[in-house]
Amino acid sequence: MILVDDAGGQWPTIGHAPWNGCNLADFVMPFFLFIVGMAIPLAFKRIKRWDKSVGKVILRTLKLLFWGLLLQGGYSHAPDKLTYGVDMKKIRWCGILQRIAFAYFVVALVEIFTKDKRVKDLSTNRLAIFRLYCWHWLVGASVLIIYLAVIYGTYVPDWQFTVHDIDSADNGKQFTVACGVRGKLDPPCNAVGYIDREVLGINHMYHHPAWRRSKVHDILSLRAYYPS
């Protein structure tokens, strides 16, 4: 990720895809989550007491949240000028590490509370893996169904934002993004962004997303925003 952050702007193929597509950097988080998931049953295999396992999960989750807030929460405002400090009005509550912490917490609890309920004697048929991990499959399917229902069923109304860029001619101006739709997956009108803005607040979101490098952003700059 250091390579991506420092060189991604010069070599786009190793940086994050602006919106549609998939580049090298886009494989990092999925593979990291896969590694975390594979490590969970190994980590708790020899711990018999569920309360001790839950305690370890909570502690590790808090550690990830702490480092996420410290490294990605906006603690360093200007690294080139070595100015630091937390601006609570703009702190990024839910960065990558915080999201990994949430995923780890949920999956680890599923593993802890279902490992003793697995069927011990299984045949070697093709459906054995589904019987062995039936609770995992059920939770995964439920999460997928809820996710699809939310992103395609949530109504996204028009929303406003204020430009905070002293180098921009629009600094201090307020704009409105015209949405009023359901099921759109483009950057300004998708349900995930809407929920993040409502729950976290627009000032607590990431202000330099990769999609700003896309053609969609150029089109939005001309047509989708209008001063309010």
Side-chain angles (χ1 to χ4, degrees), residues 15-93:
H16 288 288
W19 191 251
N20 296 318
C22 187
N23 292 343
L24 178 63
D26 299 306
F27 287 98
V28 175
M29 185 175 180
F31 276 110
F32 190 82
L33 286 175
F34 176 79
I35 294 171
V36 171
M38 291 296 295
I40 288 174
L42 298 177
F44 297 108
K45 185 176 182 179
R46 297 184 179 181
I47 302 178
K48 302 300 182 182
R49 294 178 52 184
W50 67 268
D51 55 339
K52 187 175 181 180
S53 298
V54 171
K56 288 182 175 293
V57 169
I58 294 175
L59 180 60
R60 289 172 181 171
T61 301
L62 292 176
K63 287 180 179 179
L64 282 172
L65 290 174
F66 169 77
W67 285 111
L69 290 174
L70 183 64
L71 298 175
Q72 300 176 322
Y75 181 78
S76 173
H77 297 298
D80 296 336
K81 299 180 181 179
L82 297 180
T83 57
Y84 301 94
V86 178
D87 184 355
M88 296 304 295
K89 294 181 179 180
K90 296 182 179 180
I91 189 171
R92 186 185 179 193
W93 293 116

Side-chain angles (χ1 to χ4, degrees), residues 11 16 35 164 208:
W11 294 284
H16 288 288
I35 294 171
H164 298 286
H208 304 284

Side-chain angles (χ1 to χ4, degrees), residues 93-94 191-202 204-205:
W93 293 116
C94 203
V192 176
Y194 168 66
I195 293 173
D196 280 351
R197 289 191 297 272
E198 292 296 312
V199 175
L200 303 175
I202 192 170
H204 298 287
M205 296 173 63

